[in-house]
Amino acid sequence: MGDVDTLQAALDARFGQGRARREVPLASLSTFRVGGPADLFFEPATGQELVDSVKIARAHGVPLHVLGGGSNVLIHDTGLRGLVVRPRGGTVTPIGDTLVRVDAAVTINGLVRHTIARGLAGLEAWAGTPGTVGGAVYGNAHWQRQNIGDLVESVRLVSRDGALLQVPADRMEFAYDTSRLKRTGEIVVWAAFRVTPGASPDALRATARASLAFRKRTQPLDTPSAGCIFMNPDPVHDRVPDGMPCSAGALVDRAGLKGTAIGGAQVSATHANFIVNTGHATATDVAALVDRCRVAVADQFGVQLHEEIVRLGF
Ligand SMILES: Cc1cc2nc3c(=O)[nH]c(=O)nc-3n(C[C@H](O)[C@H](O)[C@H](O)COP(=O)(O)OP(=O)(O)OC[C@H]3O[C@@H](n4cnc5c(N)ncnc54)[C@H](O)[C@@H]3O)c2cc1C
């Protein structure tokens, strides 16, 4: 593994002293509020800074991790070795009437607010989805049987060796909870979303409010979590027995695990596919509880649950 000191010197030379920082705690940058520090941490403010930081990390042979809003990750208690890049800022730019180009660091909520205010329909139901465009494209975020990839026209990516490429949606390998980025490690610089102009902002706002209200009713939003822990099983591929729900939360619930706790991690009483941090959880507590849920569902129902959250540093 390359040397973090020489990497820092190279980042300082390119971006100026103080931009890349050592031993930065990551727990507060993850919605779970768990995890240790990054050896080295850098927040690119532009696409070019993102590309250059990827190239510099590559040239120094140092591991590179990408963090968006931290709303779907479980970061190890010992933190992350090498460089963590967390794109920040960014803008939403119209391209003609029916596309918006959105930088990776823009939050989904920011994007929703932007399109609603301009009467651009398509993204309003995604109101309340935590995280950034980069993270949403990576995991093809879903909401009520829709995948965000269905709204994507193309994505600008940087490969792990620093090459830029533009990929149309049909080559993004979007499927339930996944995209080609899980295979390639490519990083989102921006994504272009299709929108329909001419909608009434009030009507779009009403849809957004309905999504927010539904989330408030069904999710434990007042306690730190990373959203759903497991993907919903596929009835055929995952051999869900007849009469069993194809819902990971319902299976965890039927296994009797609602409310079960390990250390400060607890299976939410509101939504059994959420694990919440009741105050002093560690990543080790969360990981142990995830494993307990997985084993219980496999033992009782023969269904193998797969994780939706991304473990970093494990
Ligand atoms: C209360 C709550 C409710 C949620 N509801 C939903 C929901 O309805 N639907 C849903 O799908 N998810 C939901 N989630 C999970 C989460 O919001 C989404 O997965 C979100 O898209 C993650 O984005 P992020 O920016 O936070 O990604 P992070 O958590 O920061 O990262 C997730 C993964 O994406 C990668 N990544 C981040 N940025 C980039 C980038 N620029 N390029 C390449 N890879 C990148 C990271 O390396 C990591 O592997 C919920 C989470 C919470 C806490």
Side-chain angles (χ1 to χ4, degrees):
M1 183 171 110
D3 177 347
V4 172
D5 287 330
T6 55
L7 174 63
Q8 170 144 38
L11 292 167
D12 287 350
R14 164 63 183 85
F15 302 111
Q17 293 267 339
R19 291 284 308 281
R21 292 176 289 136
R22 298 289 278 266
E23 291 297 318
V24 171
L26 297 175
S28 62
L29 302 178
S30 132
T31 58
F32 246 143
R33 301 277 181 265
V34 300
D39 281 350
L40 197 52
F41 180 79
F42 176 65
E43 296 186 316
T46 63
Q48 191 57 52
E49 286 195 355
L50 172 62
V51 171
D52 290 354
S53 59
V54 170
K55 283 184 180 163
I56 292 170
R58 168 78 171 201
H60 287 77
V62 166
L64 175 71
H65 310 272
V66 186
L67 203 55
S71 63
N72 204 31
V73 289
L74 178 62
I75 300 169
H76 198 279
D77 292 320
T78 56
L80 300 178
R81 305 291 71 81
L83 176 66
V84 174
V85 290
R86 180 172 177 256
R88 297 287 282 156
T91 55
V92 182
T93 312
I95 309 173
D97 287 341
T98 57
L99 285 180
V100 284
R101 197 181 81 189
V102 194
D103 289 328
V106 172
T107 61
I108 293 295
N109 284 315
L111 171 59
V112 167
R113 276 195 301 276
H114 179 101
T115 51
I116 287 179
R118 286 158 186 79
L120 301 172
L123 286 148
E124 58 282 358
W126 295 83
T129 308
T132 63
V133 164
V137 169
Y138 174 90
N140 193 14
H142 51 88
W143 176 245
Q144 297 195 330
R145 297 182 210 292
Q146 282 186 20
N147 295 323
I148 206 143
D150 297 341
L151 302 172
V152 169
E153 187 260 350
S154 61
V155 186
R156 183 77 158 165
L157 298 172
V158 55
S159 70
R160 289 283 165 150
D161 53 13
L164 278 166
L165 59 163
Q166 191 144 336
V167 178
D170 64 3
R171 286 183 39 222
M172 280 299 295
E173 300 167 26
F174 283 126
Y176 175 50
D177 260 323
T178 193
S179 73
R180 69 186 251 160
L181 307 189
K182 291 198 178 180
R183 177 176 64 76
T184 63
E186 292 156 335
I187 300 162
V188 178
V189 180
W190 52 254
F193 290 89
R194 277 188 301 276
V195 289
T196 306
S200 138
D202 283 343
L204 300 180
R205 216 164 273 126
T207 304
R209 284 209 188 98
S211 284
L212 290 168
F214 184 79
R215 281 183 184 278
K216 219 171 163 183
R217 275 201 312 280
T218 57
Q219 298 180 350
L221 299 182
D222 49 356
T223 325
S225 78
C228 287
I229 295 291
F230 298 108
M231 300 180 195
N232 287 323
D234 179 82
V236 178
H237 187 260
D238 294 314
R239 297 198 201 90
V240 179
D242 283 347
M244 280 287 161
C246 292
S247 146
L251 288 164
V252 172
D253 190 5
R254 286 198 186 192
L257 289 157
K258 247 188 185 175
T260 301
I262 295 182
Q266 185 174 36
V267 177
S268 165
T270 310
H271 189 317
N273 202 12
F274 276 55
I275 287 178
V276 293
N277 177 355
T278 59
H280 300 98
T282 61
T284 308
D285 294 337
V286 175
L289 191 52
V290 171
D291 291 343
R292 184 176 294 179
C293 293
R294 191 199 347 264
V295 168
V297 168
D299 285 352
Q300 293 187 42
F301 310 119
V303 177
Q304 192 61 47
L305 293 177
H306 304 285
E307 285 173 31
E308 177 171 329
I309 53 165
V310 180
R311 295 189 188 215
L312 296 180
F314 278 79

